[in-house]
Amino acid sequence: MSQAEETTTSRVGQLYDQMAGFESDNFSGDHNMHFGYWDTANDTWPLERAEERLTELMLEKLQARPNDRVLDIGCGMGTPAIRIANSVGGEVVGITVSHEQVKRATARADAEGLSGRVSFRYADAADLPFEPASFDAVWALESIIHMPDRLQVLREIARVIRPGGRVVLTDFFERAPIPEQKRAVVNKFRSNWVIGPMVTIDDYPRLVREAGLRLVELSDISGQVMRRTLEGIAQRIANDRKTIDASLGSDMADDLSLSDLIEVWELGYLLVVAELPADGT
Ligand SMILES: C[S@@+](CC[C@H](N)C(=O)[O-])C[C@H]1O[C@@H](n2cnc3c(N)ncnc32)[C@H](O)[C@@H]1O
């Protein structure tokens, strides 16, 4: 790994270590740390429900079987991993580059009586500490957004998944070139949230192929995800501003706010489903 990549990974870790200590029921009390999904324009459910809905959608796509062993890359506070274990019934191993997240996710799994089946550890997705073909399925919900080298991560996924196993992930992407007047907003977002290099939807078929995987689905789900999530986050921050300021400091609260992005329709959200060919093709 290059020094720049190492620096990125440790910056991501610091960001999430700091955020892990932030407790508020208003602000994602369920500890999901991802965008929401509303199936149609008529769905008016709140962001918390939409976050769960995105997890459900990914579970549908994962098609895991009972007792499958699932790797959750970028596990956050453990909420999706716990949900996977409760739905699939097998074992889930979550990894993150935040030591605080490992601690808190482990405590949550223990509290739910899942310590034998759900575990969390510190590991970098670019260098997975697992044996070849040791997982039936791989899940990466909004974590590849931070990673400097997507191809390397996809290669690692292809190495640790069994033939015929599926990977489901979500990513940010450029739906169209970001116009000059919106670039400062996007650059600020990328810098504050340590977001890796941007991709387009056309990059994915090549990335997946070069990693040795076969693309099953590539969907632009921005319409179901972006605007309502950004509005929901802005609302949460407004509702909870005092607690956030006290916990993270007002500068950081301003830095992490995503409301400027609401008008940047060019920034989109991608759902990717791929599999390791069972026949080695
Ligand atoms: C936006 S959060 C998503 C958390 C979780 N998937 C969820 O939906 O609640 C991004 C996660 O990716 C993890 N992450 C970022 N870069 C990583 C890397 N190189 N290796 C492993 N995890 C990484 C972060 O530590 C964090 O847990």
Side-chain angles (χ1 to χ4, degrees), residues 38 51 58 92 97 130 145 147 226 259 265 272:
W38 291 260
E51 288 176 311
M58 285 184 60
V92 185
V97 289
F130 303 113
I145 59 171
M147 300 179 194
M226 290 302 285
S259 57
W265 67 265
V272 183

Side-chain angles (χ1 to χ4, degrees), residues 68-212:
D68 268 0
R69 184 168 193 244
V70 181
L71 173 63
D72 178 0
I73 293 184
C75 58
M77 303 286 271
T79 306
I82 289 171
R83 180 74 198 273
I84 297 167
N86 284 330
S87 307
V88 175
E91 183 192 348
V92 185
V93 179
I95 64 156
T96 167
V97 289
S98 156
H99 293 287
E100 274 303 313
Q101 286 187 335
V102 172
K103 241 192 276 169
R104 286 167 194 257
T106 303
R108 295 185 67 220
D110 289 351
E112 302 235 357
L114 287 168
S115 50
R117 293 204 287 122
V118 180
S119 60
F120 300 97
R121 62 189 279 185
Y122 183 98
D124 185 348
D127 185 17
L128 292 172
F130 303 113
E131 295 297 312
S134 52
F135 290 94
D136 299 293
V138 177
W139 169 284
L141 174 43
E142 228 171 274
S143 54
I144 207 164
I145 59 171
H146 294 293
M147 300 179 194
D149 186 348
R150 285 179 178 78
L151 179 57
Q152 169 62 17
V153 172
L154 290 168
R155 282 190 171 130
E156 279 293 86
I157 292 172
R159 184 180 66 76
V160 301
I161 204 167
R162 66 159 169 79
R166 267 200 174 188
V167 49
V168 181
L169 65 87
T170 63
D171 201 352
F172 292 135
F173 77 111
E174 268 187 27
R175 303 176 84 197
I178 311 288
E180 185 62 41
Q181 73 274 19
K182 295 181 182 173
R183 252 180 238 160
V185 168
V186 174
N187 290 342
K188 179 178 143 215
F189 162 63
R190 289 188 51 211
S191 159
N192 289 342
W193 281 93
V194 201
I195 302 295
M198 294 302 291
V199 284
T200 68
I201 197 164
D202 295 332
D203 290 321
Y204 255 97
R206 177 189 56 79
L207 285 167
V208 165
R209 192 177 56 247
E210 283 185 19

Side-chain angles (χ1 to χ4, degrees), residues 27 35 142 172 185 188-190 192-193 195 226-227 229-231 233-234 237 253-264 267:
F27 207 94
F35 279 36
E142 228 171 274
F172 292 135
V185 168
K188 179 178 143 215
F189 162 63
R190 289 188 51 211
N192 289 342
W193 281 93
I195 302 295
M226 290 302 285
R227 174 175 276 271
T229 298
L230 294 168
E231 288 171 351
I233 292 174
I237 291 182
D254 283 338
D255 284 352
L256 297 184
S257 164
L258 301 175
S259 57
D260 291 354
L261 285 178
I262 291 173
E263 298 313 321
V264 187
L267 183 70

